[in-house]
Amino acid sequence: MSDRPHRRATVATAAATAATVVAVVAVVLGVSLLTGPHDGLPIRGTGKPTATATPTTTVSADDLLSLTRQVKCRTPVPGAVSHDELAAFAAVTAVSCTSDTREIPGQGTWAVDVRRVATSGIPALQTAFERPDEPTPEGIACPAIGVVPLRLVLVDASGHTLAPSPPLDSCHLPQQAFNQALDQVAWREISLHKVQQIITPQAQAARCSQAFKNMTYIEANAGHASSPGGPVLGTSPATLQVCVYRTEQDPEVGTFRRSVSLSTEDTRRLLAALTGPGPTGSCPVERDFAVLDSSGGNWATVELGGCFRVAGSGSGLGSADPAVVTALLGGR
């Protein structure tokens, strides 16, 4: 008869009476070690929300920090932790260091490292860790997908750690039973460290992409036929929010610089100015261009210099009236 129920009951009793005990298991899902302090900013996640299972033990923030302060996130080495070693370990808490994308009010969108501690779901998670790997039959068809290495660190009531590998299925992916147990773990976010900005607050406020392809340059280099002229958008919006970009080393991709809000009358003038036929002869490479994005997936790009070429969704290369475009959107 297995001594597991007895061992788990003993651990639970010890955890409940210890002065500094907390219910946390260190599970690391990200790829970057998070050591920086919290930025002290309100944050809103844009990825998958974490589970909110009801904790079985009331845990204060001080207890969580005390037990896990020295725990470092690390990537487990397959086979480094034996089944017997894992079965003898009594995890009571977990730390998770993950990579995420966050929208930070007033500061745009950032790639961040997040450090979390678990407040419930640890016994089931350890049990899931103890599952054996599934065999791989010959001739099995497996999906061609990659999985970010799961960085898990289990922590016991004394602060000792263990970083086991998740059990694998027949395709060498984490087993579904393990994923389900992991989804049921509730986490408390402890700190957030900004790594790299993805969208600036200016582009975010203007509802513009941080980067956009320079379609006039791309279509010209692809040898697309010139347009005889005519409307470049399938619809005629009443107003437009125009996003302006500039290319750097790569002439095919521009980075957001500014935006221009056009009135109804200025929108009408700009759309009329983009209806010229395609230019003849060679044109210089123009770094600055504007993007008009209409509803229904219609778009157009116009150069802000050079030949003032225009590329529309499916309309070929046309040209714009330089005077009107410069007056409404500005030049370089």
Side-chain angles (χ1 to χ4, degrees), residues 9-281:
T10 301
V11 170
T13 301
T17 56
T20 59
V21 169
V22 294
V24 188
V25 168
V27 181
V28 181
L29 302 177
V31 294
S32 301
L33 172 64
L34 176 62
T35 57
H38 195 288
D39 291 304
L41 300 168
I43 50 182
R44 178 164 66 86
T46 58
K48 177 182 178 181
T50 57
T52 56
T54 302
T56 56
T57 304
T58 301
V59 183
S60 71
D62 289 342
D63 286 340
L64 293 171
L65 291 173
S66 177
L67 187 65
T68 62
R69 183 175 289 114
Q70 302 303 320
V71 174
K72 294 184 178 180
C73 301
R74 58 188 187 272
T75 301
V77 178
V81 178
S82 68
H83 181 274
D84 290 343
E85 186 180 6
L86 180 58
F89 194 80
V92 296
T93 188
V95 174
S96 165
C97 296
T98 65
S99 296
D100 198 2
T101 301
R102 296 289 180 89
E103 179 183 323
I104 301 177
Q107 297 190 34
T109 300
W110 289 76
V112 297
D113 285 340
V114 182
R115 182 181 177 92
R116 305 178 301 170
V117 293
T119 57
S120 71
I122 300 311
L125 181 64
Q126 179 166 349
T127 298
F129 262 117
E130 297 172 9
R131 295 173 58 89
D133 291 343
E134 298 176 1
T136 302
E138 293 185 7
I140 186 173
C142 292
I145 60 175
V147 177
V148 176
L150 180 65
R151 302 170 59 198
L152 273 169
V153 181
L154 302 178
V155 184
D156 67 12
S158 298
H160 300 134
T161 63
L162 203 64
S165 298
L168 302 180
D169 63 16
S170 57
C171 287
H172 303 287
L173 299 173
Q175 292 179 12
Q176 186 63 27
F178 173 82
N179 293 333
Q180 291 172 349
L182 185 61
D183 286 342
Q184 294 305 308
V185 176
W187 300 95
R188 177 176 300 183
E189 192 165 294
I190 300 301
S191 61
L192 176 148
H193 175 67
K194 293 184 294 186
V195 177
Q196 182 179 10
Q197 189 167 58
I198 298 174
I199 302 176
T200 62
Q202 293 80 9
Q204 190 168 287
R207 301 185 300 281
C208 294
S209 301
Q210 186 63 34
F212 204 94
K213 289 185 177 181
N214 186 359
M215 295 307 300
T216 49
Y217 176 86
I218 292 173
E219 293 204 9
N221 277 9
H224 289 183
S226 295
S227 167
V232 295
L233 295 178
T235 60
S236 297
T239 60
L240 279 172
Q241 180 82 4
V242 181
C243 305
V244 178
Y245 297 84
R246 173 174 294 176
T247 64
E248 300 297 341
Q249 288 82 9
D250 185 357
E252 293 189 358
V253 180
T255 301
F256 175 81
R257 292 297 179 182
R258 55 189 172 85
S259 66
V260 180
S261 298
L262 298 180
S263 65
T264 300
E265 175 58 23
D266 286 343
T267 296
R268 185 193 64 77
R269 289 179 59 202
L270 179 64
L271 292 177
L274 304 182
T275 59
T280 58

